Amino acid sequence: LVAQHSGFVGAWRLMGVCRASRAGVKEWLGTLPGWVVTGGFNLSNQSPGAVSEVWRLNLATLQWGPMPALVTARYGHACCTVRGALVVLGGLIGGVDDEEYRKTSSVEILLGGVGDGVFTSLPPLSCGSTDGAVAIAVEESTS
């Protein structure tokens, strides 16, 4: 209960207090959805270019774990959750082999729980290609 009212950083500070608080904090942190990183750009010499990797940070353990990969490797895209599904929109695709990066209007969705299923393609954005955008989930009851 104390961890819940202390917020994320305060909860992690409580981990050092005693065994009982550590157990309570880990239990509460385990209920949080975690942080997700999708796609990106790899600068390494071995395989430079856009990536399709998706990673989730478990807030109870502070350990990164892999999730299903994107259908299309991309960076500079927008990402949000809608009704429990992870949605990835637009961005830049292509790269080293193509020698040219281009904007995309593609949309992908991951349904289900964390790590379950695969990303599937949805119809493209009606507004056309985009990159550098921001997506914010809006609660439908207040919109």
Side-chain angles (χ1 to χ4, degrees), residues 29-110:
L29 289 171
T31 66
L32 299 178
W35 290 333
V36 175
V37 176
T38 61
F41 193 85
N42 184 358
L43 295 172
S44 77
N45 292 333
Q46 291 86 10
S47 58
V51 297
S52 59
E53 294 177 4
V54 179
W55 293 85
R56 177 184 178 273
L57 177 64
N58 179 321
L59 298 176
T61 63
L62 290 183
Q63 297 292 312
W64 287 97
M67 291 180 61
L70 297 170
V71 173
T72 305
R74 63 181 77 215
Y75 71 99
H77 54 279
C79 180
C80 67
T81 57
V82 179
R83 295 182 182 172
L86 184 61
V87 181
V88 178
L89 312 149
L92 294 165
I93 62 172
V96 178
D97 294 336
D98 298 339
E99 295 184 17
E100 181 179 317
Y101 297 100
R102 56 197 177 281
K103 291 182 184 182
T104 183
S105 60
S106 70
V107 178
E108 300 180 31
I109 188 168
L110 176 65

Side-chain angles (χ1 to χ4, degrees), residues 9-30:
V9 174
W12 267 97
R13 287 183 182 149
L14 286 171
M15 293 279 271
V17 174
C18 69
R19 236 180 247 159
S21 67
R22 188 176 310 122
V25 168
K26 282 198 171 200
E27 180 181 337
W28 177 73
L29 289 171

